[in-house]
Amino acid sequence: MSSAEAGLELPGWSLAYSGKVRDLYVADGQSLESAPEMLMVASDRVSAFDQVLEPAIPGKGALLTSLSLWWTERLGLPSQLAPDADARTPASVADRAMLVRTLDMLPIECVVRGRVTGSGLKEYQQVGSISGVELPAGLADGVELPEPIYTPAWKAPQGEHDENVSFERTVELVGREDAEAIRELSLSVYRRAAVIAAEAGLVLADTKFEFGRDRVTGELLLADEVLTSDSSRYWDAAALAQGRVESFDKQIVRDWLADNWAGEGEAPALPPAIVERTAARYGELLERLTAD
């Protein structure tokens, strides 16, 4: 259910786009193509396997917004936030919204992997590589790579599946200068974040970034969410050392859905216990990372 369907009304703002988990608003009378700024509202919706699931995860939007803002400040990243964003964000969504400059987005999901797992593991098992990056034979699920690898994906139009692509394909899509810039930025941010996560007893297994250019200055900026539980895999380091994977992301939802849905028709509703566990893990991640 989108924010609009849920009856969210923001005086002065119009819903311009509703995604799986985020809704974009622009000032009344403007469009995403013309608006210099937009209001990015994180909902409590949760998605897995290209499905928006019911029920939502209580407090998820606020938790992920807090985490994204914390990482942006902690790493000193150039911010997409608009000037005086806090003062100009509607109070009713202040805890889960960001007023940001509208960017011309690059059609690339910049995935960085420190571990081989998830969809990357499946591709590796099939062809011995991920997004054209050749890897040694015999790697097991969750094994740490000698160095993080950059495995980009092409962002398909809405309703289609994203497609893992080689670096050279990203050069064809966005040009060599931008392709090299987003690769280096992604690897740099991941490496720094992985160190900070380790200090909190966490393993940052992988993450994905998106980039766009400021329409006025042309500056290349990280966009959307940054190192959140929805865009990253966080594992408990102590549990992993004992051979167990304890996730702080929506892997709980993915695992339950994989065990209880064949992938056809409408996905089943999430049990209350899965919703509660997911919400608790999202909250614990934020607490562990931001603890003094």
Side-chain angles (χ1 to χ4, degrees):
M1 178 180 292
S2 75
S3 297
E5 291 169 333
L8 179 63
E9 293 185 5
L10 301 176
W13 296 90
S14 299
L15 181 67
Y17 173 80
S18 185
K20 291 188 182 74
V21 298
R22 280 174 180 75
D23 299 316
L24 305 181
Y25 290 78
V26 295
D28 287 346
Q30 296 184 341
S31 67
L32 285 177
E33 289 70 31
S34 63
E37 298 175 343
M38 64 181 179
L39 189 67
M40 187 163 58
V41 181
S43 75
D44 290 345
R45 301 189 298 271
V46 63
S47 69
F49 305 120
D50 290 326
Q51 296 283 315
V52 177
L53 308 173
E54 295 284 352
I57 308 298
K60 172 178 174 282
L63 285 167
L64 297 194
T65 299
S66 295
L67 189 56
S68 190
L69 290 171
W70 182 83
W71 273 116
T72 298
E73 182 177 355
R74 180 70 172 80
L75 295 173
L77 302 172
S79 178
Q80 186 188 2
L81 286 175
D84 300 320
D86 289 345
R88 296 191 292 127
T89 299
S92 61
V93 292
D95 62 338
R96 58 189 179 96
M98 294 188 291
L99 181 60
V100 299
R101 291 175 280 173
T102 307
L103 307 180
D104 289 325
M105 298 298 296
L106 302 184
I108 305 295
E109 279 197 344
C110 302
V111 182
V112 181
R113 304 177 189 271
R115 307 263 174 167
V116 177
T117 192
S119 63
L121 175 66
K122 292 180 181 178
E123 183 175 344
Y124 163 73
Q125 291 173 334
Q126 291 171 353
V127 298
S129 63
I130 308 174
S131 294
V133 179
E134 296 292 333
L135 295 172
L139 295 179
D141 188 4
V143 168
E144 184 176 10
L145 295 166
E147 292 289 338
I149 60 173
Y150 177 69
T151 59
W154 170 66
K155 286 187 64 63
Q158 188 177 12
E160 299 181 24
H161 294 289
D162 294 345
E163 176 188 346
N164 288 350
V165 295
S166 68
F167 173 72
E168 288 306 320
R169 176 59 179 147
T170 69
V171 172
E172 295 174 0
L173 289 167
V174 301
R176 183 163 296 278
E177 182 177 353
D178 280 352
E180 292 180 349
I182 59 178
R183 177 179 62 181
E184 296 312 309
L185 282 167
S186 298
L187 287 166
S188 173
V189 173
Y190 171 85
R191 290 189 179 104
R192 294 166 61 197
V195 171
I196 294 169
E199 293 170 352
L202 299 164
V203 170
L204 179 57
D206 57 38
T207 193
K208 64 179 179 181
F209 303 111
E210 295 185 43
F211 292 88
R213 286 198 175 277
D214 186 291
R215 291 177 174 176
V216 176
T217 67
E219 184 180 10
L220 190 63
L221 297 171
L222 263 175
D224 202 2
E225 57 188 333
V226 179
L227 294 159
T228 71
S229 312
D230 272 10
S231 65
S232 316
R233 281 188 176 87
Y234 289 95
W235 298 338
D236 182 87
L240 192 63
Q242 298 175 6
R244 305 191 317 275
V245 174
E246 294 185 4
S247 298
F248 292 87
D249 48 57
K250 62 180 180 182
Q251 192 62 43
I252 295 169
V253 171
R254 292 191 194 98
D255 290 345
W256 183 87
L257 196 59
D259 291 340
N260 293 276
W261 184 52
E264 298 180 358
E266 185 176 350
L270 300 173
I274 295 297
V275 172
E276 292 169 9
R277 283 179 57 204
T278 304
R281 295 298 270 179
Y282 277 38
E284 184 180 347
L285 175 65
L286 182 62
E287 290 175 5
R288 287 180 62 167
L289 283 170
T290 61
D292 293 332

